[in-house]
Amino acid sequence: MPLQHNAVLKVLRNPRYAGAFCFGRTHRTKHPDGSLHIETLPQEQWLFLVREVHAGYLNWQEYEANLAQLRANRQAHGEDRRHGPPREGPALLQGLVICGRCGNRMTVGYHEVKGGKRLYPEYRCQKEHVEEGDDKCCQRLLGAGLDAAIAELLLVRVTPLSIETSMQIHEELQAQVQEAGRLRAQQVERARYAAELAQRRFLRVDPENRLVADVLEADWNTRLRELAEVQQEAERQQEADQRKLSALEQQAIAELADDFPRVWNDPRTSDRDRKRMARLLLEDVTVLKQEEVIVVHVRFKGGAQQTITVPLSRGRRSTPELIALIDQLLDDYTDAEVAEQLTQRGWRTYEGKPFTAARVLSLRRYQQLKTHGTRLAERGLLSAEEAASAYGVCRETLMAWGRAGLLPMYWVNDQGTAVFPPPDEHAPVKHAHKYQTTRSSCGRSAVCN
């Protein structure tokens, strides 16, 4: 008969497979119509629970770990709406976001872009919609910027978190070593008891009965050899466990901080794996949407907490304040320099990423803002060809003056195109250096022609 899903769940949930005896796991009640209702009780309400009664397929710690994993993998349900298993979508905080207004867990929806090739998450608190049948949402916010901010926070906080995680690994390994040592000690005690029992049997035999005495003596010697072998094996395993613990301890502390950013940023790491890593580090994330920012309160595993603010994402639409700032910066900076200024001032794109020259170019064209070169031309600055004609020099001489600081030079774009002010009374003069009388170390003119 093939193994079925229901049978697997019964195995995982039954404490008998962990070597325990229990009674009172369920409570039966009969309804007035004669139907029978069976309710599964929590463990603290069982009538009897005796562990390690017999040899189990797994130990009690593994049994409880399986139950915890089953609870974590259930779909969101109930008042708390606990997170289910990590899914394939890009929403990093799936199941971890808590509404800062009502305290309920927020669900995840996605917006499709480019025919479904790209998905952008949106976190929604639907308490009013579910309970009151209303179209209102307690809170809803686009998640790209929030996810990027949390990912950046995790990468920044990975050093103290890695130390804490390493300590937890150390404690778990110590517990495993202690449990293994306890089991080996029990094995040694059983071997010692068998040897002592064989000794007592031999000492009680009548010396005249040589045949029985020889058999009991041989059994005694066998038990003594078994006791010696078990003791040696226990000591060897204890030393090996200690060496293994020390090696794993050092490896976890030395490599975890370096491995986490590398694995996180690896393009081969799936969204589901990133969610698993986030759940190992985060307890939950409480968000409160305000007019221009999102107040984010992050609780880490182990009790650490941190509050950050994230600019409110408006999707692909940029805020009027951002457009006004870009318009102002274009008076003095190129697209790449504007992107650098925005990043330094804490602005992020609708995806939560730092600004780039391409993104500034896209916004500038969409908002029909004047280019930096157009603004410089409106201020009366001349192109390299126009300035060379006005100064009466070739273009190479003009550029050399600009690089030497003899003539102000302004960059129009990020490809090296420059403009110059028109000539005035302070402008450099062609061949002026030939009339300098500064003496060099050889006693001749500084320019020897």
Side-chain angles (χ1 to χ4, degrees), residues 21 41 57 66 135 138 152 156 178 181-182 205-206 221 259 304 308 349 415:
F21 171 78
L41 300 177
Y57 292 95
N66 288 339
D135 292 337
C138 183
E152 184 178 354
V156 171
Q178 292 174 358
R182 186 183 66 81
V205 71
D206 187 0
N221 291 332
D259 287 345
I308 61 175
T349 67
Q415 287 74 41

Side-chain angles (χ1 to χ4, degrees), residues 173-408:
L173 291 175
Q174 273 192 331
Q176 294 178 6
V177 168
Q178 292 174 358
E179 180 64 16
R182 186 183 66 81
L183 295 177
R184 286 193 293 268
Q186 290 180 353
Q187 188 177 7
V188 171
E189 287 300 322
R190 285 193 295 267
R192 180 177 289 108
Y193 176 79
E196 292 174 354
L197 181 61
Q199 180 186 14
R200 289 195 299 269
R201 288 174 178 173
F202 173 78
L203 294 178
R204 290 176 183 175
V205 71
D206 187 0
E208 298 297 328
N209 195 343
R210 299 304 305 166
L211 180 60
V212 176
D214 291 340
V215 173
L216 293 178
E217 184 179 11
D219 182 66
W220 183 19
N221 291 332
T222 301
R223 299 302 178 187
L224 288 175
R225 284 194 298 270
E226 292 178 354
L227 174 61
E229 292 174 358
V230 170
Q231 287 178 334
Q232 293 176 2
E233 180 66 15
E235 294 173 358
R236 187 183 65 81
Q237 287 291 341
Q238 186 70 19
E239 294 176 358
D241 286 342
Q242 291 297 335
R243 289 195 300 269
K244 180 180 178 181
L245 177 65
S246 177
L248 289 175
E249 210 178 344
Q250 296 175 0
Q251 181 181 3
I253 295 175
E255 298 181 359
L256 187 57
D258 296 331
D259 287 345
F260 179 75
R262 178 177 56 82
V263 174
W264 185 276
N265 295 320
D266 194 328
R268 294 172 296 179
T269 303
S270 64
D271 293 326
R272 178 180 289 182
D273 291 333
R274 288 191 181 91
K275 292 180 186 180
R276 290 194 181 104
M277 288 188 282
R279 293 183 180 194
L280 291 175
L281 300 174
L282 298 176
E283 188 69 36
D284 52 49
V285 177
T286 303
V287 296
L288 181 60
K289 181 179 178 181
Q290 298 181 353
E291 291 185 2
E292 297 298 333
V293 297
I294 305 172
V295 179
V296 184
H297 184 70
V298 184
R299 290 201 307 161
F300 296 92
K301 296 287 188 180
Q305 302 181 21
Q306 185 170 351
T307 301
I308 61 175
T309 57
V310 179
L312 185 61
S313 176
R314 304 180 184 273
R316 301 180 69 89
R317 297 174 298 170
S318 300
T319 62
E321 293 79 8
L322 175 61
I323 300 302
L325 179 58
I326 293 176
D327 190 20
Q328 177 184 351
L329 293 174
L330 283 172
D331 290 338
D332 303 311
Y333 301 103
T334 65
D335 291 344
E337 293 170 340
V338 169
E340 183 179 356
Q341 289 291 325
L342 293 175
T343 301
Q344 290 178 357
R345 301 185 188 192
W347 288 90
R348 294 292 185 269
T349 67
Y350 67 94
E351 294 178 308
K353 299 178 181 179
F355 273 92
T356 61
R359 180 57 183 161
V360 173
L361 172 63
S362 176
L363 280 174
R364 175 170 57 76
R365 289 177 175 175
Y366 182 77
Q367 299 293 334
Q368 298 181 352
L369 302 178
K370 296 179 181 179
T371 65
H372 180 55
T374 302
R375 298 164 192 259
L376 293 178
E378 291 177 350
R379 285 156 52 181
L381 297 178
L382 306 177
S383 66
E385 290 74 13
E386 295 172 343
S389 176
Y391 283 90
V393 296
C394 65
R395 186 177 184 279
E396 288 71 19
T397 300
L398 188 73
M399 297 298 294
W401 286 355
R403 287 190 293 267
L406 300 176
L407 183 66

Side-chain angles (χ1 to χ4, degrees), residues 69-106:
Q69 188 65 51
L70 288 174
R71 287 192 297 268
N73 285 347
R74 287 186 295 186
Q75 295 294 325
H77 68 283
E79 282 292 324
D80 192 32
R81 299 185 65 82
R82 301 296 297 181
H83 57 73
R87 298 294 181 180
E88 295 81 3
L92 177 65
L93 303 178
Q94 171 220 323
L96 297 177
V97 182
I98 297 178
C99 178
R101 293 179 179 174
C102 65
N104 276 6
R105 291 190 182 264
M106 302 176 71

